[in-house]
Amino acid sequence: MQGLTATLLRGTWYMALPGSAVKAGATVARTLLGEPLLIGRDKAGVVFALRDACPHRGIPLRYGSFDGETVTCCYHGWRFDRTGTCVEIPSLREDQQVDLSKIRCGALPCVERNGLVWIYFSRSGEAPSGYQAEPPAMPVFADADAPALGIVLPFPCSTDHAAFGLMDPTHAAFVHTSWWFKSKARKLRPKEKAFEPAPFGFRMARHALPPQNIAYKLLGANVTTEISYCLPGLRIEEIRGDRNAVVGLTAITPVSEGETEVHQLFWVSMGWAKALRPLLQHLMTVFLDQDRVVVVQQREGLVHDPKLMLINDADTQARWWMRLKSEWIEAEAAGRPFENPLKPMVLRWRS
Ligand code: FES
Ligand SMILES: [Fe+2]
């Protein structure tokens, strides 16, 4: 059962940070999947990710400098390009021959797509290939379209508990209560939703949203939504009306086996939404922080390693999540392709 830590999947892309968080000619240090990284953008605008440790004496490269092309270590001035290859050792004299191309700090595959920086965490140094050749693309919007809104919060929990929160249909009435959203003690209603397998996950099949809701009216008539969940921790919601569309991404990125960053991003086709960014991002933060506070409290219980349970159908998606992860790990161990073990199913609950 899921406790304080989770098994982290490798051989896949993780959303590291929004592209806007790393300016041209700058670097940012981040620990992801327990690995210290230096994520940068060269002066031509290309993003890269280096292992944040100098191969000479191990000091983190983040203490050095970046000139827009190469990172210089703060200790003895060795310089590395964005592929992680050493290009200069200042102490060498002309007659001292060293093959610099063999000296590497190590770089991870790093791609910017939909305004997000994705990093591939390999199993054993392999390059991304097959279905994992590229990071996932957002629906509706072009690769060059950056999100209009984005927030991130640190969650002191494993990726499994963060994922359970994402796909938990029955906590909202108890956790997400505010004057502007849902007030407390609201009556629970019976719900029924059809689910189907999707690449590396499952999706709540496209269904109509209530036409009387003012927020959905902004998208036009016939507003529908489809919500997909996929490994290693992505929830993609695509809401479409006959005039406008909104795509929401929640990305669960492990900092370590027991800590997680939760990113929430929205792409919107209505240009005016950017003008409301401060207000909308504030509301998003209030909402996501309610989830964060719950996992902080949950942690107080999990340290005692209690026995936990998952019930039907409210927690069926959480069960699916664990089955998908097991299949990923088994397929990897057997050296065979991932086979989605899920079948179409209707889930029922009250929320
Ligand atoms: S430790 Fe980095 S150059 Fe010596
Ligand atoms: Fe929530």
Side-chain angles (χ1 to χ4, degrees):
M1 192 45 87
Q2 302 71 38
L4 288 169
T5 60
T7 305
L8 301 182
L9 303 184
R10 302 192 64 101
T12 185
W13 294 88
Y14 285 89
M15 206 292 259
L17 37 75
S20 58
V22 48
K23 304 274 179 265
T27 56
V28 290
R30 280 279 190 292
T31 297
L32 300 178
L33 282 82
E35 295 185 29
L37 301 175
L38 192 68
I39 303 168
R41 184 188 294 280
D42 69 13
K43 59 187 181 193
V46 181
V47 292
F48 60 90
L50 302 180
R51 290 190 198 286
D52 192 14
C54 179
H56 184 209
R57 294 268 209 285
I59 195 166
L61 292 170
R62 64 176 176 274
Y63 295 121
S65 58
F66 180 51
D67 63 5
E69 277 179 2
T70 56
V71 173
T72 303
C73 179
C74 70
Y75 205 165
H76 311 93
W78 292 20
R79 282 197 303 127
F80 301 88
D81 67 14
R82 65 177 168 78
T83 70
T85 309
C86 185
V87 293
E88 190 194 353
I89 295 181
S91 64
L92 290 178
R93 294 173 59 124
E94 265 136 50
D95 58 340
Q96 294 173 323
Q97 294 301 320
V98 173
D99 184 356
L100 295 182
S101 71
K102 294 216 170 74
I103 301 175
R104 296 167 164 273
C105 62
L108 281 73
C110 183
V111 166
E112 190 167 22
R113 189 172 210 184
N114 300 114
L116 308 177
V117 178
W118 298 84
I119 295 178
Y120 182 82
F121 286 79
S122 69
R123 299 182 175 107
S124 51
E126 83 283 357
S129 66
Y131 286 118
Q132 293 292 328
E134 293 180 6
M138 292 305 113
V140 183
F141 294 88
D143 274 6
D145 290 338
L149 306 168
I151 59 164
V152 60
L153 284 181
F155 274 47
C157 69
S158 75
T159 49
D160 287 343
H161 282 297
F164 285 8
L166 262 194
M167 53 191 62
D168 177 342
T170 60
H171 74 290
F174 300 91
V175 172
H176 298 298
T177 52
S178 333
W179 60 266
W180 54 273
F181 187 58
K182 289 167 179 166
S183 54
K184 230 180 178 105
R186 142 192 118 88
K187 231 176 117 209
L188 302 186
R189 292 201 193 90
K191 301 275 166 64
E192 180 174 304
K193 294 280 188 295
F195 288 82
E196 58 204 21
F200 300 101
F202 56 90
R203 73 170 79 91
M204 188 188 285
R206 187 164 284 285
H207 57 278
L209 287 169
Q212 62 276 19
N213 186 312
I214 301 170
Y216 298 142
K217 277 192 181 137
L218 299 170
L219 303 181
N222 306 315
V223 181
T224 60
T225 187
E226 179 187 275
I227 307 177
S228 318
Y229 299 88
C230 70
L231 298 177
L234 304 176
R235 174 193 191 271
I236 301 173
E237 178 160 13
E238 182 193 331
I239 310 174
R240 275 198 313 238
D242 59 3
R243 276 206 317 271
N244 282 303
V246 171
V247 169
L249 168 70
T250 308
I252 289 176
T253 305
V255 173
S256 64
E257 289 178 345
E259 293 164 281
T260 305
E261 275 178 351
V262 179
H263 294 267
Q264 202 154 59
L265 304 129
F266 284 101
W267 291 256
V268 292
S269 64
M270 304 87 88
W272 51 259
K274 283 192 185 147
L276 296 179
R277 184 183 283 154
L279 171 69
L280 295 173
Q281 290 191 160
H282 169 72
L283 297 179
M284 286 160 65
T285 306
V286 169
F287 194 87
L288 188 60
D289 197 55
Q290 294 171 334
D291 290 309
R292 191 193 61 82
V293 168
V294 165
V295 302
V296 170
Q297 294 167 339
Q298 180 189 29
R299 199 184 159 81
E300 288 181 27
L302 292 181
V303 291
H304 303 291
D305 198 19
K307 201 164 150 30
L308 309 179
M309 55 204 291
L310 297 172
I311 64 160
N312 289 338
D313 289 350
D315 298 328
T316 300
Q317 295 174 72
R319 284 204 167 118
W320 289 346
W321 177 256
M322 295 314 292
R323 277 183 68 191
L324 288 161
K325 276 189 76 175
S326 300
E327 164 58 16
W328 181 281
I329 292 161
E330 281 163 31
E332 177 179 297
R336 60 168 173 80
F338 175 92
E339 265 179 58
N340 195 321
L342 306 181
K343 300 273 176 286
M345 199 170 159
V346 173
L347 299 184
R348 299 178 181 86
W349 65 81
R350 281 158 54 83
S351 63

